[in-house]
Amino acid sequence: MIFHSKPTLNKEDSSAVSRVINSGYISQGEAVKRFELELAEYIGVKGGAAVSSGTSAIHLSLIALGVKEGDYVAIPTYVCPALLNAINYVGANPLLIDINPDSYNISTTDLKKKLTKKTRAVIVPHIFGLPADIKDILSIGIPVIEDCAQSVGASYKGKKVGSFGHCAIFSFYATKVMTTGEGGMVVSNSDKILEKVRDLREYDHKPNYIVRYNYKMTDLQAAIGISQLKRLDSFIYRRREIANLYSKRFSELGISIPKVYPESEHIYFRYVIKNRVKGQGSRGKGLEGDLKFFEDNGVKCMRPVFKTIHRYLTPPPSPPSQGGGELGGGFPEAERTWNELISIPIYPSLTDGDVKKIVRVTEKWREAKVE
Ligand SMILES: *Cc1c(COP(=O)(O)O)cnc(C)c1O
């Protein structure tokens, strides 16, 4: 079975961890500081503050931007629940936005339509490694948190994502583009935001009392992060190489492939295809059947987003396949996309043989659909 995703680890990563262990100083220290400096330099921003996860990075970013109980924070509905959790941690409310059906990123049109005076911030994920319309969104004038959990190294109009917003967050969970096991970072050009995040991530030796957290990253994690960052460009190179192979073959077969945009450099955290193919017959079992076909043939594929946020907040009435639900009608593009997209394996440690097998199974899947 070819796994859907996998971390890319090697001896350099393990010796980096060994060195930290041997130093006897394993919690937040010099390695964390160095990782912050190196990632900030890579992204092209003033500084970074490392934390325990992408979720804690969003949580502290919201506090640093002054988001409070009762405020609204705009997010796309087609995203993982980490964003919703962070919004709930500060007692704010989500303002759910539909997506652009071609890029799968937050729809700027829908965002502009739904914004109110109570909207205090917008979290903009660059979904699957493809930059969102970040300049357009910034021009609206509300504070922007870029969510780069899936897009470290991607660029938009020649600049790395994470350098546009008031701040940006990263996740280094095991199967993200680069990893520290678990981990996250807030980067920003604002010293004020960075200082606030650094203050809130730890609780001890403080002159005053306010509610703070224990969201620190360890030097063990940071050492892996520094080691991974050295190889990040090679990870991205390999992801693009695989994506190009897929796109070339799949477009010949009439399979819908990820759209390319001249202003954006996609890093292919996810490679997604649509489950409807050109010349498809009337037979169809829905996405579950497609996922099962791939699995039965030794290739683990997944929905790239497990469940949309509006579906979590308003369970659909039965039957679930009718696109119903209270909020369901408000997110036609996210609904359609959720029903259509298949994420096929793409990561640097896939061998050429693995890639060939994935292409072969995809060809077989298409044959079965067209029949
Ligand atoms: C993974 C992810 C997060 C959350 O990161 P964790 O480190 O798992 O907390 C947030 N946003 C997006 C878009 C993600 O993919």
Side-chain angles (χ1 to χ4, degrees), residues 23-163:
S23 81
Y25 194 103
I26 59 172
S27 62
Q28 178 184 281
E30 288 308 310
V32 166
K33 260 188 214 150
R34 220 179 101 202
F35 185 36
E36 290 172 342
L37 287 172
E38 289 186 7
L39 189 75
E41 190 188 341
Y42 179 85
I43 300 299
V45 288
K46 212 162 168 188
V51 290
S52 54
S53 69
T55 306
S56 51
I58 302 174
H59 182 191
L60 298 189
S61 295
L62 289 172
I63 302 176
L65 289 176
V67 176
K68 293 195 172 62
E69 203 174 327
D71 288 341
Y72 280 77
V73 177
I75 56 170
T77 183
Y78 190 65
V79 77
C80 66
L83 285 69
L84 178 63
N85 284 334
I87 291 168
N88 280 320
Y89 295 165
V90 297
N93 307 293
L95 175 67
L96 298 183
I97 308 296
D98 205 2
I99 57 168
N100 176 316
D102 298 318
S103 69
Y104 314 121
N105 273 309
I106 189 167
S107 158
T108 314
T109 318
D110 199 41
L111 174 63
K112 286 178 181 163
K113 208 162 73 192
K114 288 178 179 163
L115 274 181
T116 74
K117 279 197 199 109
K118 287 186 179 169
T119 315
R120 289 294 308 274
V122 53
I123 305 173
V124 180
H126 301 289
I127 205 84
F128 308 153
L130 177 70
D133 292 331
I134 192 68
K135 289 209 167 164
D136 235 21
I137 296 168
L138 277 164
S139 71
I140 296 171
I142 49 169
V144 172
I145 300 171
E146 286 183 84
D147 179 341
C148 305
Q150 306 192 347
S151 56
V152 58
S155 54
Y156 182 76
K157 298 193 172 163
K159 274 177 68 186
K160 291 253 159 53
V161 298
S163 63

Side-chain angles (χ1 to χ4, degrees), residues 4-5 77-81 99 103-104 127-129 150 175-176 258 266 268-275 287-288 291 300-308 312 334-346:
H4 177 253
S5 44
T77 183
Y78 190 65
V79 77
C80 66
I99 57 168
S103 69
Y104 314 121
I127 205 84
F128 308 153
Q150 306 192 347
T175 54
K176 299 286 160 115
H266 201 321
Y268 298 99
F269 171 64
R270 294 286 183 243
Y271 188 96
V272 291
I273 59 174
K274 287 186 186 169
N275 73 335
L287 202 56
E288 309 304 336
L291 297 176
K300 181 71 184 168
C301 294
M302 286 171 80
R303 286 182 197 274
V305 171
F306 184 73
K307 193 168 173 161
T308 53
Y312 274 117
E335 283 283 317
R336 194 195 349 267
T337 300
W338 187 82
N339 280 307
E340 278 183 357
L341 286 193
I342 303 171
S343 170
I344 68 173
I346 187 163

